[in-house]
Amino acid sequence: MAADRILYIEPSSGISGDMMLGALLDLGAGLDHLKEQLSLLSLQGYKLEEKKCLRAGIRATKFDVVIDRQVEESSHNHTHGSSHSHRSFRNIREIIDSSQLSQWVKEKSLEAFHRLAEAEGKIHGQPAEAVQFHEVGAIDSIVDIVGCMIAVEQFLPVRILSAPVNVGQGTLECRHGIYPAPGPAAQELLKGIPIFSNAVQGELTTPTGATLLATLVREFRPRPLMKVERSGYGAGMRETQGNANVLRVTLGESDLADQVSPDEQVAVIDATIDDMNPQIYGYFQEKALAAGALDVYLAAIQMKKNRPGVKLTVVCAVGQVDALARLIFRETTTIGIRYNLAQRKTLQRQFHSVQTEYGTVTVKVATLDGQRMNVVPEYEDCRRVAAEKGVALKEVLASATRAFLGDSRVDPSGNS
């Protein structure tokens, strides 16, 4: 059986849509396939260019969306309020929904654009449905976002992980004035994601780049234990002094991905809450897990003055206590937390790809002293396959388990 496949993103010089696509093309995603799939969108007025270049001496792929001059002139000759010079989020959704792209590409593209529209809407004080994208920028964004999903699909099934994100420093010029880096929309999209800045001036992470990370990345963490298969380098627009302006994406595999030692110290953070909208808990859980929490769960409790409440518990690495405490204070209504250090024991985990009657699915196998304890199909893979094939999720889950247990190449310990 194939080992667990990992796609690891390193935005040490930030990330933009064109850098991500450049890195994926450099990694092996085909430009001809990308053009063929993008032609399924009812979108004209652009062409794609791919070229090799050097950034701080590193060979990388520069990807560009070249907008036809007629589109640019048409856009510049209309006022900001003209429907001819802008595309709404609703219009972009219709373009993607009505295409013959795969179900996975459409779902991920729409999820990304919804995130982007929500962020832009929050910044400008309007609902996501009302957000307007400048015509030239809209074409660029559609190609970058949908194109990235098309490219990523070629590497599935894969777990997408990322290192912390460099956002740059100093200021940048936005449509309405000068802002500190990152820009307002990127800042909104990067909530819950670990970020940093170094000495490089200007905007390093764009809203499109932040959207792709928020949509695709399962976990932000240091580089995992993995065998590198190949790497791709996507070039940024400019040379940056003292910094290689490239995005590296690595494809690799690990037979023992996420293996932890039998004894490990973790932090357990508790907060008791009796005055918060219950809709916020799910949102917080997503943010906490994206920020690196190992587990997040709720328990019903009875608080003082006989009020029903909720005990929120976050389990994390010891070094993440401060970051997750800040996230709890920012996103919930609690005014205090408690935490303690605890020892935990975990089973070793291996990831295997199995071929089901519906498609390829990743299965997680937990072992103790070399003996298999549990077999669990990965939910996101099964969800994707179920949506693509139009079958019940429970059927895909059962099929993946049968495929793993019935494979004669797998011994009882789960080793291939």
Side-chain angles (χ1 to χ4, degrees):
M1 275 188 178
D4 173 43
R5 283 164 61 84
I6 297 169
L7 196 67
Y8 189 64
I9 304 169
E10 293 175 277
S12 58
S13 293
I15 181 171
S16 60
D18 60 290
M19 289 175 76
M20 183 67 174
L21 258 173
L24 291 169
L25 289 169
D26 204 48
L27 193 66
L31 181 62
D32 289 340
H33 176 74
L34 179 65
K35 290 179 177 179
E36 177 187 324
Q37 290 293 297
L38 285 172
S39 70
L40 299 175
L41 298 169
S42 57
L43 191 69
Q44 286 83 37
Y46 73 94
K47 63 178 180 178
L48 308 182
E49 289 186 355
E50 174 193 21
K51 62 183 179 182
K52 303 299 180 184
C53 65
L54 292 177
R55 290 289 183 267
I58 296 176
R59 178 183 173 277
T61 295
K62 181 71 182 75
F63 174 82
D64 285 304
V65 181
V66 181
I67 308 298
D68 289 351
R69 187 175 298 277
Q70 288 182 339
V71 174
E72 291 181 323
E73 291 175 353
S74 173
S75 178
H76 292 154
N77 289 336
H78 288 82
T79 64
H80 287 299
S82 169
S83 61
H84 296 289
S85 60
H86 289 75
R87 287 185 189 266
S88 68
F89 169 54
R90 185 183 295 107
N91 176 240
I92 292 172
R93 185 173 58 199
E94 290 170 355
I95 290 173
I96 296 170
D97 252 337
S98 62
S99 74
Q100 296 301 308
L101 291 164
S102 75
Q103 188 64 29
W104 187 87
V105 169
K106 287 200 284 190
E107 281 186 3
K108 283 297 181 183
S109 299
L110 290 171
E111 179 186 343
F113 265 108
H114 187 254
R115 288 178 186 270
L116 183 57
E118 280 195 327
E120 293 283 0
K122 184 172 182 179
I123 297 303
H124 301 298
Q126 55 186 178
E129 291 289 331
V131 168
Q132 299 281 325
F133 295 89
H134 188 275
E135 176 69 8
V136 173
I139 294 174
D140 215 354
S141 296
I142 293 170
V143 172
D144 282 349
I145 290 175
V146 179
C148 278
M149 302 312 173
I150 292 167
V152 167
E153 188 182 37
Q154 296 177 62
F155 300 104
L156 294 179
V158 70
R159 285 192 304 143
I160 303 177
L161 311 175
S162 176
V165 189
N166 191 350
V167 296
Q169 67 173 356
T171 60
L172 61 142
E173 188 172 349
C174 294
R175 182 174 53 175
H176 301 297
I178 303 296
Y179 288 93
Q187 174 96 337
E188 182 67 24
L189 288 156
L190 291 168
K191 279 186 176 179
I193 293 175
I195 64 174
F196 71 97
S197 63
N198 57 10
V200 179
Q201 294 290 317
E203 178 186 41
L204 295 187
T205 295
T206 66
T208 302
T211 298
L212 291 167
L213 290 176
T215 305
L216 289 169
V217 175
R218 184 179 300 184
E219 185 181 355
F220 291 85
R221 55 174 290 181
R223 178 186 285 262
L225 177 66
M226 64 189 295
K227 296 176 184 176
V228 174
E229 181 180 325
R230 59 185 186 270
S231 298
Y233 295 83
M237 186 70 68
R238 59 195 170 94
E239 287 276 12
T240 51
Q241 187 174 0
N243 195 73
N245 191 19
V246 296
L247 175 73
R248 181 165 67 184
V249 177
T250 301
L251 183 68
E253 60 180 36
S254 175
D255 292 321
L256 295 174
D258 283 340
Q259 179 176 330
V260 297
S261 61
D263 296 280
E264 181 185 22
Q265 191 174 60
V266 295
V268 181
I269 307 173
D270 290 324
T272 54
I273 305 171
D274 63 3
D275 60 349
M276 191 166 82
N277 182 337
Q279 293 174 315
I280 296 175
Y281 288 109
Y283 178 81
F284 170 79
Q285 183 183 54
E286 293 176 4
K287 290 292 186 182
L289 291 172
L294 301 171
D295 200 2
V296 182
Y297 54 91
L298 309 173
I301 58 174
Q302 200 72 16
M303 298 180 62
K304 62 186 178 181
K305 298 183 181 179
N306 209 29
R307 291 196 298 259
V310 171
K311 180 180 179 182
L312 169 67
T313 301
V314 177
V315 182
C316 65
V318 175
Q320 290 186 298
V321 171
D322 287 344
L324 284 165
R326 285 194 293 270
L327 184 65
I328 292 171
F329 287 132
R330 188 180 72 202
E331 298 290 348
T332 76
T333 59
T334 191
I335 59 173
I337 64 166
R338 292 179 293 274
Y339 74 92
N340 58 73
L341 304 183
Q343 296 296 119
R344 75 167 185 172
K345 289 183 179 290
T346 59
L347 297 176
Q348 293 180 345
R349 283 160 282 180
Q350 298 174 323
F351 292 84
H352 300 274
S353 294
V354 298
Q355 188 63 42
T356 74
E357 60 212 272
Y358 306 111
T360 304
V361 171
T362 302
V363 173
K364 179 166 62 179
V365 182
T367 62
L368 178 65
D369 298 329
Q371 294 300 308
R372 188 174 67 231
M373 299 287 109
N374 294 299
V375 175
V376 182
E378 286 288 270
Y379 168 76
E380 289 295 340
D381 279 0
C382 293
R383 179 180 179 274
R384 168 181 57 82
V385 170
E388 288 177 353
K389 301 299 182 182
V391 297
L393 175 61
K394 63 182 180 181
E395 294 297 331
V396 180
L397 290 164
S399 179
T401 302
R402 287 196 303 269
F404 177 84
L405 295 176
D407 195 320
S408 60
R409 291 173 297 169
V410 181
D411 65 31
S413 70
N415 296 317
S416 52

